[in-house]
Amino acid sequence: MCNLLEMKEVQFREALREAMSEEMRRDESVFLMGEEVAEYNGAYKVSQGMLDEFGAKRVIDTPIAELGFAGIGVGASMNGLRPIVEFMTWNFAILAADQIINSAAKMLQMSGGQYGCPIVFRGGNGQAGQLAATHSQSFEAFYAHVPGLKVITPSNPYDAKGLLKSAIRDNDPVVFLESEKMYGDKGEIPEGEYVIPIGVADVKRKGSDVTIVTFGKIIKVAHQAAELLEKEGVSCEIIDLRTIRPIDYAAVVESVKKTNRCVVLEESWPLASISSEIAYHLQQYAFDYLDAPVQRVTQTDTPFAFSTSLIDEALPNVERLVKAIKTTLYRN
């Protein structure tokens, strides 16, 4: 481990690049494949310079055929390699869902333990502005529903690097969901080696009156709401799940035992969501500590729109989150 006091500021994309490059230097079985990852340096420049360092056998441009190259990745992982499969966007990866869900997730069980599948599927997730309904979907709950997969959604460069390194080393298939709107975000990371364990949530802000549980880029809304409510004397604790499967339920329960209230903030749709799962778990294991029903703030239950005004209506925002928090405090 490095001296954590030696820090540097990097972009989210640079943190991901460092994670992949370090792991490829460390382990020759690791390689990167996907659309435009090599000659073009990545659709979002995440893999910039990696072709020059590692060569065309380890940084591989693929055709626009998600099902095909995801299948190649699964086969490679079954034969001793550790692929990183980049999708330009997780919306395109719907085409590869058969390989992710029916092959990667189930291979260890179906082979009676004879074949593992150490593979990372990663790329942009969620809405990124005016890209309309088929290019603006959040897939955390979709993949978290599947046994055999691990699902990670980092919210900052520090978590992104540490979690991606852990994902590449993990012996199970990992779905790594980034955000197209975060690749340019800046944050501090240590100069040297570090990893973050999969399945451990992080308290991003300590508080005493209400727990906000969230993950991914929508955490920015949580911080904005917390700062606004602090002026009104409301102390918000923010828990970043970071890993969506497995979920660190214990961290959520411990926080709610202290605050006695909870609001779950999620970018995706409300039905069968991560917020639904958290709400169920709290009523099952922290019921006696709750002083108010758990509230949820999610995207509206509609396909995403192209219109900017409709986008603003659909997404969770500070106003809706503040209202939900005040509901738990019986201040509405």
Side-chain angles (χ1 to χ4, degrees):
M1 297 295 289
C2 68
N3 181 350
L4 295 181
L5 296 178
E6 298 174 3
M7 306 293 284
K8 62 180 179 181
E9 187 177 66
V10 299
Q11 290 184 333
F12 194 95
R13 60 167 59 88
E14 293 171 322
L16 296 171
R17 183 187 311 140
E18 282 197 14
M20 292 190 292
S21 297
E22 287 177 10
E23 292 305 302
M24 288 175 70
R25 295 180 196 120
R26 173 181 171 273
D27 184 347
E28 291 186 356
S29 70
V30 180
F31 70 96
L32 173 66
M33 64 188 301
E35 295 151 334
E36 299 184 345
V37 299
E39 295 289 344
Y40 191 67
N41 288 309
Y44 301 100
K45 299 299 179 278
V46 173
S47 55
Q48 188 168 25
M50 292 180 65
L51 174 63
D52 293 336
E53 178 175 356
F54 299 105
K57 288 187 176 181
R58 297 185 68 194
V59 181
I60 304 167
D61 278 330
T62 66
I64 304 174
E66 289 78 9
L67 176 60
F69 65 77
I72 291 172
V74 171
S77 72
M78 292 171 61
N79 284 276
L81 299 179
R82 290 182 174 271
I84 306 167
V85 176
E86 177 177 317
F87 299 115
M88 193 177 296
T89 162
W90 275 96
N91 296 280
F92 299 162
I94 288 177
L95 297 163
D98 177 58
Q99 287 295 332
I100 298 169
I101 294 171
N102 282 333
S103 295
K106 298 175 174 62
M107 190 56 62
L108 187 66
Q109 189 265 353
M110 290 196 303
S111 69
Q114 295 180 80
Y115 290 100
C117 196
I119 185 171
V120 176
F121 301 100
R122 51 158 294 268
N125 178 60
Q127 68 85 25
Q130 290 182 276
L131 300 180
T134 58
H135 292 70
S136 303
Q137 301 167 106
S138 297
F139 288 97
E140 294 91 355
F142 182 92
Y143 287 105
H145 189 62
V146 182
L149 297 176
K150 293 177 180 175
V151 181
I152 297 172
T153 304
S155 66
N156 59 78
Y158 177 86
D159 290 349
K161 181 179 178 181
L163 285 165
L164 183 54
K165 286 173 71 70
S166 292
I168 294 167
R169 297 180 189 186
D170 200 273
N171 288 325
D172 293 317
V174 179
V175 170
F176 201 91
L177 300 155
E178 301 150 15
S179 167
E180 296 171 41
K181 297 185 77 172
M182 291 183 70
Y183 286 126
D185 286 3
K186 293 182 178 180
E188 289 192 331
I189 67 171
E191 285 280 0
E193 168 80 10
Y194 75 99
V195 294
I196 296 173
I198 295 171
V200 179
D202 189 38
V203 178
K204 298 300 191 198
R205 180 187 179 113
K206 292 187 178 297
S208 56
D209 294 326
V210 61
T211 299
I212 305 172
V213 180
T214 187
F215 51 89
K217 72 174 181 291
I218 204 70
I219 198 172
K220 296 175 183 180
V221 172
H223 282 290
Q224 292 167 8
E227 291 170 7
L228 188 63
L229 286 167
E230 187 176 31
K231 299 174 183 177
E232 300 181 25
V234 177
S235 175
C236 298
E237 181 149 296
I238 300 175
I239 293 183
D240 184 352
L241 291 178
R242 302 196 294 196
T243 302
I244 310 305
R245 186 181 182 110
I247 292 176
D248 188 354
Y249 294 109
V252 178
V253 170
E254 285 305 307
S255 178
V256 170
K257 284 181 178 180
K258 177 178 65 174
T259 66
N260 309 117
R261 295 170 174 83
C262 183
V263 177
V264 189
L265 173 65
E266 181 174 8
E267 186 178 327
S268 193
W269 304 298
L271 184 64
S273 60
I274 302 303
S275 56
S276 303
E277 172 66 18
I278 295 295
Y280 164 78
H281 197 89
L282 288 175
Q283 67 84 27
Q284 182 74 8
Y285 297 103
F287 182 81
D288 291 338
Y289 295 91
L290 288 169
D291 288 342
V294 177
Q295 298 292 314
R296 299 189 302 162
V297 180
T298 69
Q299 186 184 141
T300 54
D301 197 18
T302 59
F304 208 68
F306 178 81
S307 162
T308 54
S309 59
L310 291 178
I311 288 173
D312 292 340
E313 286 294 318
L315 287 174
N317 56 38
V318 173
E319 182 180 359
R320 287 173 58 198
L321 180 56
V322 167
K323 182 178 179 180
I325 291 169
K326 288 185 175 180
T327 296
T328 70
L329 296 166
Y330 300 110
R331 294 194 182 185
N332 285 344

